Amino acid sequence: MGDLTPVIAAAVAFAVTAASGYFVIPFLRKLKFGQTILDIGPNWHKDKQGTPTMGGVMIVLGLLLGLTVSFAYSAGTQGRYAYEIMHHTYRRSIFISGILMALAMGAIGFMDDYIKVVKKRNLGLTARQKTFLQLLVSAGYLVSLRVTGMTTTSIPFVGDIDVTHGAGLLFWPIALLFIYGFTNAVNLTDGIDGLASSVTLVVACAFMLIAGFLYNMVMNTLAAALAGACVGFIVWNAKPAKVFMGDTGSMFLGGMVVAVSFGCGRPVLLIFAGITYFLEALSDIIQVAYYKKTKKRFFKMAPLHHHFEMCGWSEQKIVLVFSGITVIGCAVALLPVLMNW
């Protein structure tokens, strides 16, 4: 029988995340932690006013317990996951630093959500405050990678690039912007019921396969737990959503997909697997730049999912189409791994 560690991680993460909704959502309602809908958003989103937010804590809880139970199982059965954690110093370090980075991003999102719900307005942390904290966490994560032994990164068709001297040193500032950008891109993707969790589910499954093909059981299990937690959250977040993940969840998910991609040693593959995140962020950038130059809007509304809402697409259709686009991007990301490029 094969190692069941990833299966257990996914199953427990799903079960805990889904079950936690039965007490987390009523608790959030009791605290009146409801979402305030921006006046500039689609009019029909006003119906979502008051839906509990900060439900991302369910995802965090499910993922952490999924990893804990799966690790305990692997240790008890002397599985490969436990072996890698105990004997592969670098993989253990990048695993721990990745989770801590994602938790720190989630904590920033939690602060933002808390300010919003307490003051009953969609403002939260200022852009400068959030940017400073996110860059600080990103820089800390990269320092931890270098200190624990990261010397190369792999690029399809090019191979391993030495990031310790010469032109390779450019990797670090690019990686800083990469982490910051993708964390915020996932945050932007969280705008309609089930979208961010569905897209991230597909991305997590892709990196679960990538890690498996690279014989990286630690990242394989981490991605499996992430996938399971996303499915558990979709139970409550699919339209009509009973809870929103808030910045607590979306920024944690952003940190997690970044952590898994770096943990596999191939962060560049997130550009393809995370194509939906990229397009959402790009649409926002285009909208702002175009409006500043012409005082007109390029899209009917940004980010991109709102544009299609304004075009008459249902939320379910947007989730289905965007998830399908993500599947295609993930297939492209898998190709160089399968071909050993």
Side-chain angles (χ1 to χ4, degrees), residues 125-145:
L125 294 170
T126 66
R128 282 188 177 182
Q129 290 171 332
K130 188 182 292 188
T131 297
F132 172 76
L133 290 172
Q134 289 174 327
L135 288 175
L136 184 64
V137 170
S138 301
Y141 174 61
L142 290 173
V143 169
S144 73
L145 296 186

Side-chain angles (χ1 to χ4, degrees), residues 39-44 283-284 287 297-310:
D39 292 332
I40 60 173
N43 293 331
W44 51 90
S283 69
D284 214 43
Q287 185 84 324
R297 291 181 174 85
F298 187 87
F299 298 101
K300 292 184 177 181
M301 186 176 291
L304 194 59
H305 57 264
H306 286 323
H307 170 78
F308 287 104
E309 273 194 288
M310 299 296 284

Side-chain angles (χ1 to χ4, degrees), residues 94 154 207 210-211 214 216 219-220 259-267:
I94 199 170
S154 182
F207 275 101
I210 289 170
L214 295 174
N216 188 332
M219 287 301 128
N220 177 261
V260 174
S261 67
F262 273 84
C264 289
R266 287 162 171 76

Side-chain angles (χ1 to χ4, degrees), residues 111-158:
M111 287 189 287
D112 196 38
D113 284 335
Y114 185 79
I115 294 171
K116 291 174 184 177
V117 297
V118 169
K119 296 187 177 182
K120 303 299 180 185
R121 57 189 176 87
N122 271 47
L123 293 177
L125 294 170
T126 66
R128 282 188 177 182
Q129 290 171 332
K130 188 182 292 188
T131 297
F132 172 76
L133 290 172
Q134 289 174 327
L135 288 175
L136 184 64
V137 170
S138 301
Y141 174 61
L142 290 173
V143 169
S144 73
L145 296 186
R146 182 65 191 95
V147 169
T148 54
M150 182 176 182
T151 58
T152 63
T153 188
S154 182
I155 299 178
F157 308 109
V158 177

Side-chain angles (χ1 to χ4, degrees), residues 156-157 210 269 329-341:
F157 308 109
I210 289 170
L269 296 182
C330 287
V332 174
L334 272 164
L335 187 60
V337 178
L338 292 173
M339 302 301 292
N340 198 29
W341 287 339

Side-chain angles (χ1 to χ4, degrees), residues 1-303:
M1 182 181 291
D3 194 332
L4 294 177
T5 303
V7 177
I8 292 173
V12 174
F14 162 74
V16 172
T17 304
S20 67
Y22 287 103
F23 59 88
V24 171
I25 295 174
F27 180 71
L28 292 173
R29 287 188 182 279
K30 185 177 181 180
L31 293 178
K32 298 182 179 180
F33 280 8
Q35 178 73 29
T36 301
I37 304 301
L38 284 169
D39 292 332
I40 60 173
N43 293 331
W44 51 90
H45 279 205
K46 286 294 182 181
D47 294 338
K48 305 181 184 206
Q49 185 88 15
T51 301
T53 189
M54 300 172 73
V57 295
M58 296 159 57
I59 299 174
V60 176
L61 181 64
L63 184 140
L64 293 180
L65 285 178
L67 291 173
T68 301
V69 173
S70 62
F71 175 75
Y73 163 81
S74 188
T77 59
Q78 297 183 335
R80 290 171 59 190
Y81 175 66
Y83 179 84
E84 285 192 13
I85 285 290
M86 290 186 290
H87 300 286
H88 200 300
T89 304
Y90 179 67
R91 287 189 177 177
R92 178 175 66 246
S93 298
I94 199 170
F95 167 76
I96 294 173
S97 62
I99 292 177
L100 291 177
M101 181 269 290
L103 287 172
M105 290 296 189
I108 296 170
F110 182 87
M111 287 189 287
D112 196 38
D113 284 335
Y114 185 79
I115 294 171
K116 291 174 184 177
V117 297
V118 169
K119 296 187 177 182
K120 303 299 180 185
R121 57 189 176 87
N122 271 47
L123 293 177
L125 294 170
T126 66
R128 282 188 177 182
Q129 290 171 332
K130 188 182 292 188
T131 297
F132 172 76
L133 290 172
Q134 289 174 327
L135 288 175
L136 184 64
V137 170
S138 301
Y141 174 61
L142 290 173
V143 169
S144 73
L145 296 186
R146 182 65 191 95
V147 169
T148 54
M150 182 176 182
T151 58
T152 63
T153 188
S154 182
I155 299 178
F157 308 109
V158 177
D160 290 342
I161 303 298
D162 187 338
V163 298
T164 61
H165 68 275
L169 291 172
L170 291 173
F171 166 79
W172 301 105
I174 293 173
L176 181 70
L177 296 177
F178 181 91
I179 297 169
Y180 169 78
F182 264 101
T183 301
N184 282 288
V186 177
N187 181 235
L188 287 171
T189 305
D190 180 37
I192 60 176
D193 297 356
L195 181 59
S197 46
S198 295
V199 169
T200 303
L201 167 62
V202 177
V203 175
C205 288
F207 275 101
M208 184 169 61
L209 291 172
I210 289 170
F213 285 121
L214 295 174
Y215 302 102
N216 188 332
M217 286 301 296
V218 175
M219 287 301 128
N220 177 261
T221 305
L222 184 57
L226 177 59
C230 285
V231 177
F233 190 73
I234 290 171
V235 170
W236 299 99
N237 187 236
K239 188 174 178 63
K242 305 297 189 298
V243 67
F244 298 139
M245 68 175 66
D247 284 5
T248 304
S250 61
M251 290 180 63
F252 175 74
L253 291 182
M256 282 304 307
V257 295
V258 167
V260 174
S261 67
F262 273 84
C264 289
R266 287 162 171 76
V268 70
L269 296 182
L270 186 57
I271 296 173
F272 305 103
I275 183 64
T276 297
Y277 306 141
F278 180 80
L279 292 176
E280 291 273 32
L282 183 62
S283 69
D284 214 43
I285 294 170
I286 291 173
Q287 185 84 324
V288 172
Y290 190 77
Y291 185 80
K292 283 183 177 180
K293 187 173 183 64
T294 67
K295 300 304 178 184
K296 296 179 181 179
R297 291 181 174 85
F298 187 87
F299 298 101
K300 292 184 177 181
M301 186 176 291

